[in-house]
Amino acid sequence: MLKDKDQREKILDAAFEVFGSKGYHDAKMIEIAKKAGISKGTIYLYFPSKEDLYIAMNDRSFAYFLWNAKQEADRCITFRQKLYSIARHHLYFFYHTRKYPDSFWQAPLQMPEMMNRLHQFFNDYHNLVAKLMEEEGLEEATLHSKAFCSMLNGYRMDIISNPEIDEKDIEMFATFTVGLFLEGCY
Amino acid sequence: MLKDKDQREKILDAAFEVFGSKGYHDAKMIEIAKKAGISKGTIYLYFPSKEDLYIAMNDRSFAYFLWNAKQEADRCITFRQKLYSIARHHLYFFYHTRKYPDSFWQAPLQMPEMMNRLHQFFNDYHNLVAKLMEEEGLEEATLHSKAFCSMLNGYRMDIISNPEIDEKDIEMFATFTVGLFLEGCY
Amino acid sequence: MLKDKDQREKILDAAFEVFGSKGYHDAKMIEIAKKAGISKGTIYLYFPSKEDLYIAMNDRSFAYFLWNAKQEADRCITFRQKLYSIARHHLYFFYHTRKYPDSFWQAPLQMPEMMNRLHQFFNDYHNLVAKLMEEEGLEEATLHSKAFCSMLNGYRMDIISNPEIDEKDIEMFATFTVGLFLEGCY
Amino acid sequence: MLKDKDQREKILDAAFEVFGSKGYHDAKMIEIAKKAGISKGTIYLYFPSKEDLYIAMNDRSFAYFLWNAKQEADRCITFRQKLYSIARHHLYFFYHTRKYPDSFWQAPLQMPEMMNRLHQFFNDYHNLVAKLMEEEGLEEATLHSKAFCSMLNGYRMDIISNPEIDEKDIEMFATFTVGLFLEGCY
DNA sequence: CATGAATGAGGTTTCATTCAT
DNA sequence: AATGAATGAAACCTCATTCAT
């Protein structure tokens, strides 16, 4: 039982790496199997298809992301601190998974189920952030949360493709974004 | 001579529609050919491979997007108006191409040439916006331009997948984004 | 383990027949698969490409030919007998594979690896014969061995395309060739 | 009229080069057209198909080869001189066309018409040589002529692939072959 | 549970040939 | 006569999935 859990997780870990670094179409089941240290057939004991594996892998990542974002934010007291924790969490996530640029934030069209999950995830994330804003009394919390998250998303490609970006840059991006959000550009 | 031009454009138009609605991998050359009203082989008279066609199609879109963005901004006088024109152009582009959600703003990894073009495009776009900001005397124009464009990008998925969004919403998104950028969230 | 060996051999057998009777370019992978009683994809489990299969098939034939030629020659005592055994082996090989005229003795240009193997094979064969001649004290063994083998090769097209040629003719060709080689034309 | 003749010849010349250096299957009509300085379509005004062009090209080569061989032999007086002239002509032909190794002496199976022509050519050539031998009173002239020509053919691959072989080697090969034929190996 | 050999549908690309100009 | 744009059949190869062991 625990063994099963381990197998499933091992496969999801491998899937994260392979899907993440190659993209859905260029990822091969055999490579995921090899990376998981098992055989191709075994994957099908745990996941009915490549697509299902892809979705399961993303689901796990989504849950993990949201859970962590919430944890971090809950530790903070002031609104500014909360925004800052969201920003840091978001950007560090990009930073730590920068070797797997395809693992997040985009999905193949022609995979409606995955699109739904992705929408749901964005929804959940935006709601999480919107709630923080509502608690602060901010109007139009939904629009504001989307704008805030979108600014963070904008750093994704830079973080992925510019190897010179380091943790100091990440901190700066977070500070800048929170400042712009709270006070505007001037 | 004109004929050639026409054929090439016809193919690029069809490529835009098919790549845009299916994504690179799920797009089939035969479908592009049919949509262009020609035969499969003819595509290869104008483009050496599927990948080259994809890149050429994107290049055309990039140039078109940048040219229009500049046109619109140049017609404006105040800084706020310029930002607003950028925002409207950006969001209306999403709106008018919402049937082709894969035609823009993302590219398959494993296609380094395309990634380079995409980076270049973002660079050009951000520079265009940064220049407007520099003219206004805004500090850290690069960071600000990225943040501004990122907020606009954030509406992409909504515009694509929510069929209830209409031109009034677009205008509202633009107004909101410019306001947030200039004055902050309060 | 034995199964694998069998599959590989089955594929090589089928390749010998199809390449041999159609030539490299007119041979189709699907036909080789059908003849081997397997599916197209299975061939690619054992050989990475059509070209590799072609080369492997030829390699096997080369080794087989040389091994047999040596076996037969080693059983003989006198020089004349040895020459005669070489001639018979050579001509009977043509005779027994006459249904597969393209399987031997020629290779597509534009396939450098195959050309190398073919050269190597001719080299090995000529050396084998040259050695017999050296043991006899014949001068210019290399030139003589090439001339001898070339005369035998000359019967190839006759044997392949003239269905009236039978084993009696083969014996006669061998006798004639050895005689001409040893004593000249008078 | 003369113009036509020129076009046809130009195409045959180009075909000789391209078929000869690439082989039938790897030769492209477009390349032949370019080499002839005309357009693809024009070839089809003079030859109904690639196959027909290939056959016509070979036919011309065959006729040329035979005509020259006869010319050279007729100039000679003694039997040995005649054999020697045949040998030199044969080997120099290989030597001078060594850049076009596929232009002669082999044909794709699956092209019965071409196979027939090739047989006919060998027949004619062997008869030409056999006649010389008959005039000398040699018995079994047919067998002897085949053996003689086959020995010459044996140098083909060497001449084609060994760039160090020069005219001195050719002369030596001719001398050696005639000697072996007349006196045997000792 | 686990394996990995086998399958076969499906897509990109090539190129001889045609035909309107 | 000459062109070259257009055609479309055909073939190699890939890889998700199955299933006997």
Side-chain angles (χ1 to χ4, degrees), chain A residues 58-91:
Chain A
N58 275 284
D59 272 348
R60 194 184 64 160
S61 295
F62 292 159
Y64 182 75
F65 183 95
L66 290 174
W67 190 86
N68 276 310
K70 190 153 173 25
Q71 287 288 312
E72 306 267 347
D74 283 351
R75 278 204 209 101
C76 301
I77 299 168
T78 69
F79 182 47
R80 180 178 284 267
Q81 281 172 338
K82 286 182 184 188
L83 285 184
Y84 187 58
S85 91
I86 291 289
R88 291 180 77 246
H89 170 264
H90 194 127
L91 297 176

Side-chain angles (χ1 to χ4, degrees), chain C residues 19 48 88 98 105 109 127 129 146-148 156 161-162:
Chain C
F19 282 133
R88 291 181 76 245
R98 88 199 95 112
W105 255 256
L109 305 174
N127 281 343
V129 177
K146 257 185 217 180
F148 186 68
R156 181 171 166 249
S161 45
N162 186 345

Side-chain angles (χ1 to χ4, degrees), chain C residues 112-129:
Chain C
E113 177 63 14
M114 186 61 229
M115 293 302 286
N116 286 342
R117 312 274 180 129
L118 192 57
H119 285 143
Q120 189 58 50
F121 164 69
F122 280 124
N123 229 28
D124 292 345
Y125 187 33
H126 292 152
N127 281 343
L128 174 77
V129 177

Side-chain angles (χ1 to χ4, degrees), chain D residues 163-177:
Chain D
E164 294 184 1
I165 284 177
D166 60 12
E167 310 207 357
K168 237 184 305 185
D169 296 311
I170 302 293
E171 296 290 342
M172 186 268 278
F173 294 156
T175 309
F176 175 84
T177 305

Side-chain angles (χ1 to χ4, degrees), chain B residues 17-97:
Chain B
E17 293 188 29
V18 178
F19 282 134
S21 54
K22 306 281 185 88
Y24 179 76
H25 280 100
D26 292 317
K28 312 298 169 206
M29 292 302 266
I30 182 69
E31 197 183 347
I32 295 175
K34 273 183 192 157
K35 187 145 294 193
I38 57 174
S39 83
K40 238 177 333 149
T42 304
I43 297 180
Y44 288 88
L45 295 179
Y46 296 88
F47 303 94
S49 71
K50 184 183 181 184
E51 191 170 324
D52 284 284
L53 172 58
Y54 184 74
I55 290 173
M57 176 274 275
N58 276 284
D59 272 349
R60 193 183 64 160
S61 295
F62 292 160
Y64 183 75
F65 183 94
L66 291 174
W67 189 86
N68 277 312
K70 189 153 173 27
Q71 288 287 312
E72 306 268 348
D74 283 351
R75 279 202 208 103
C76 302
I77 300 168
T78 68
F79 183 48
R80 179 179 285 266
Q81 282 173 339
K82 287 183 185 191
L83 285 184
Y84 187 57
S85 90
I86 291 289
R88 291 180 75 245
H89 169 263
H90 193 126
L91 297 177
Y92 272 115
F93 176 84
F94 286 157
Y95 186 65
H96 292 132
T97 60

Side-chain angles (χ1 to χ4, degrees), chain D residues 87-97 167 170-171:
Chain D
R88 291 181 75 246
H89 169 262
H90 194 127
L91 297 177
Y92 273 114
F93 177 84
F94 287 157
Y95 186 66
H96 292 132
T97 60
E167 310 207 357
I170 302 293
E171 296 290 342

